[in-house]
Amino acid sequence: MKSQKGVMNESRFSSGFNVFLTALSEEAEGNSLDQFVPSENLIKQFSLKKIDGLFNIFGFLQTDNSFQEKEVEKIGGKLIPYSLQIYSFHIPIESIQKLIQIKGITFIEINQKTRTKQTNTKRD
């Protein structure tokens, strides 16, 4: 995979976001996301929540000066600013492809369930 360091106006994605995109693509099998209902596994793994009848993904955006909040709102997303360049967001999964095309988003991270490694703690 080509490094994206130094690339302007191209979003970079966290590994968790890439995993989500892959899992979503596999489940949707090329069908439109407008009527897509995610599996229980996808809902649990990525903490999807239903808002106004649509499954939403939650995460964080890092942006540059060209980013305009209204672009996320136009596609059904909600933002909470933490600084001039960091936002938490949620967006319907049907709008995920539109999100990654918005100018000024430089990095996307999504919420994901953390997995803890269980160790065998038997004692003699």
Side-chain angles (χ1 to χ4, degrees):
M1 177 178 264
K2 190 172 108 177
S3 170
Q4 294 184 18
K5 187 175 182 180
V7 175
M8 301 271 301
N9 293 328
E10 186 173 320
S11 295
R12 294 177 299 147
F13 310 133
S14 69
S15 59
F17 188 76
N18 282 325
V19 168
F20 171 72
L21 288 177
T22 299
L24 182 62
S25 175
E26 288 173 0
E27 276 199 22
E29 296 178 5
N31 295 316
S32 169
L33 294 178
D34 292 344
Q35 302 296 320
F36 175 72
V37 177
S39 68
E40 285 298 317
N41 184 47
L42 199 67
I43 292 168
K44 286 180 185 177
Q45 183 178 359
F46 297 101
S47 303
L48 302 179
K49 303 262 187 281
K50 214 171 198 182
I51 299 173
D52 297 329
L54 300 172
F55 283 97
N56 279 248
I57 189 82
F58 292 74
F60 293 91
L61 301 176
Q62 183 175 5
T63 64
D64 64 23
N65 293 336
S66 67
F67 177 72
Q68 294 185 13
E69 293 179 22
K70 68 181 178 182
E71 296 301 316
V72 173
E73 294 164 359
K74 280 187 204 175
I75 60 172
K78 302 288 184 205
L79 296 169
I80 298 172
Y82 285 99
S83 72
L84 293 175
Q85 295 182 321
I86 306 286
Y87 298 82
S88 69
F89 76 94
H90 70 83
I91 191 162
I93 58 174
E94 67 182 33
S95 298
I96 204 73
Q97 290 299 326
K98 293 175 185 172
L99 176 71
I100 63 179
Q101 296 173 18
I102 293 175
K103 182 180 178 187
I105 296 175
T106 58
F107 190 76
I108 303 174
E109 172 68 82
I110 61 166
N111 294 355
Q112 193 173 343
K113 290 256 186 210
T114 359
R115 295 183 184 182
T116 55
K117 186 176 179 180
Q118 293 182 344
T119 56
N120 188 351
T121 57
K122 284 186 181 178
R123 293 186 180 196
D124 292 330

